[in-house]
Amino acid sequence: MTSTFFTKKRMLARISALEQARSVHIPDWQRITNVIRPARGRYLDSTSSGGEEIYKRPTSMVNSTPAVASRTLQAGMISGASSPAYEWFKFILDDPEMMKWQTARIHLELRAKIVQTYLARSNFYQALQVVYGDSADFGTGCGVLTEHPTDKFSATVFSPGEYLIDVDDYGDIDTIIRKTPRKAVQLISQFGLDRCSQQVKDAYAQGNYQTTFVTIEIIEPNRDLDDSKANWRGKPWVKFVFEESVKEDGEDKYLELSGFEDFPGFDLRWDLASGNTWGWGPGLLAL
């Protein structure tokens, strides 16, 4: 890994810059967590190797009106914009002449039904409702779609405070970074013994399965794309997962190296001022 792009030094420097940009929003998000959405929000202490939360629950909610309004909004968005009970999207071709062919229309309708079936079988709609709520309350909702062994794919929504985002030249989100603590047993189970650091191996061998280690997960455009490669180096988007304490480079120093043909993230920003990365929504007004 000789490219500067594929170095942890470059990644950590970018994370530091994005954390600085996000820091101005954290106090408002913490208040929203405290008085509106106690089930959402995860704020990690960057100085703690164990990843303890610096913002503790239980909630100090004094009025349930914003929380009830948020729940109503989520239900209304699902039923009105993306209900699993009816066809809320359709596929079309860019060529209007081809859309006149009945065979083409039938083919697209069948494809749409297949996608609708997969969406209904997965946890997509549950995740989408959380994204609707996060975008309204915190201004931004974000998650990723990943492969699933039985349901084709699975949706994971990140909690406010645990992830970072960045945008491309058009203002669209193209980078998602998540920093989160994981237990030793989780790391061994997901990535295998060989991929984990010696500290994780030692904790696991000693039976300290609950010992936590902060991991960093980065999904971003591959700015050193090599079309001649069939692996992650040849994919338009790349994913890096590594333990925060492991600073060395080398493919064996990463928990995961993978790539995607399409951006796997999905997001919704409720309202967005020109030039801003993070959105804002009615939750901020409810404070």
Side-chain angles (χ1 to χ4, degrees):
M1 300 180 68
T2 57
S3 170
T4 303
F5 176 72
F6 298 118
T7 62
K8 292 179 182 176
K9 180 179 180 180
R10 192 275 308 174
M11 298 177 197
L12 293 172
R14 187 182 189 195
I15 290 172
S16 179
L18 292 177
E19 285 179 334
Q20 182 65 30
R22 185 191 61 179
S23 63
V24 298
H25 302 283
I26 292 293
D28 287 334
W29 295 350
Q30 289 177 331
R31 293 175 61 201
I32 291 170
T33 294
N34 205 33
V35 301
I36 301 177
R37 291 284 299 284
R40 302 295 293 161
R42 193 174 190 180
Y43 311 100
L44 301 180
D45 182 356
S46 60
T47 64
S48 172
S49 59
E52 290 85 0
E53 294 185 52
I54 61 172
Y55 194 70
K56 300 296 182 181
R57 298 182 181 92
T59 175
S60 61
M61 184 183 297
V62 295
N63 189 319
S64 64
T65 301
V68 173
S70 174
R71 186 174 59 187
T72 303
L73 180 146
Q74 295 172 47
M77 290 290 290
I78 282 289
S79 63
S82 50
S83 172
Y86 62 82
E87 181 180 313
W88 56 276
F89 65 88
K90 63 174 56 180
F91 295 149
I92 63 172
L93 299 173
D94 290 335
D95 188 343
E97 292 300 319
M98 291 192 66
M99 284 300 297
K100 296 179 181 179
W101 293 5
Q102 184 178 6
T103 302
R105 294 198 302 271
I106 292 175
H107 178 78
L108 293 174
E109 289 174 0
L110 290 175
R111 291 290 181 179
K113 291 184 182 298
I114 291 173
V115 173
Q116 288 172 342
T117 300
Y118 284 147
L119 292 176
R121 288 178 178 175
S122 72
N123 67 333
F124 173 77
Y125 288 105
Q126 295 94 321
L128 184 59
Q129 182 163 331
V130 176
V131 169
Y132 283 145
D134 285 354
S135 66
D137 295 331
F138 299 91
T140 303
C142 184
V144 295
L145 297 176
T146 56
E147 292 183 2
H148 191 279
T150 59
D151 294 333
K152 298 299 182 181
F153 64 87
S154 178
T156 301
V157 182
F158 300 147
S159 197
E162 74 168 343
Y163 69 93
L164 302 160
I165 57 174
D166 203 2
V167 297
D168 59 18
D169 294 338
Y170 303 97
D172 297 322
I173 295 176
D174 68 352
T175 299
I176 300 175
I177 302 173
R178 180 170 65 150
K179 183 184 293 187
T180 182
R182 301 189 191 186
K183 299 174 183 178
V185 66
Q186 293 175 323
L187 293 173
I188 295 294
S189 175
Q190 182 174 358
F191 302 107
L193 191 65
D194 293 339
R195 283 283 181 182
C196 295
S197 67
Q198 190 60 48
Q199 292 89 336
V200 175
K201 295 176 183 177
D202 291 343
Y204 185 78
Q206 296 166 11
N208 298 322
Y209 298 157
Q210 305 304 309
T211 302
T212 58
F213 300 85
V214 176
T215 61
I216 296 175
E217 176 181 335
I218 303 175
I219 299 174
E220 62 181 339
N222 187 350
R223 304 191 189 282
D224 198 13
L225 181 65
D226 186 349
D227 293 328
S228 65
K229 302 292 185 181
N231 61 4
W232 55 273
R233 291 178 180 270
K235 303 295 184 181
W237 272 269
V238 288
K239 178 181 178 180
F240 307 102
V241 184
F242 58 94
E243 295 174 45
E244 186 180 40
S245 61
V246 179
K247 307 298 184 183
E248 299 87 353
D249 288 316
E251 294 195 21
D252 61 332
K253 300 298 183 181
Y254 287 84
L255 295 170
E256 180 183 343
L257 290 167
S258 57
F260 308 95
E261 292 292 344
D262 299 292
F263 184 54
F266 61 99
D267 58 86
L268 177 62
R269 289 173 288 178
W270 189 269
D271 200 356
L272 191 65
S274 177
N276 287 358
T277 299
W278 297 94
W280 68 277
L284 186 62
L285 299 179
L287 293 179

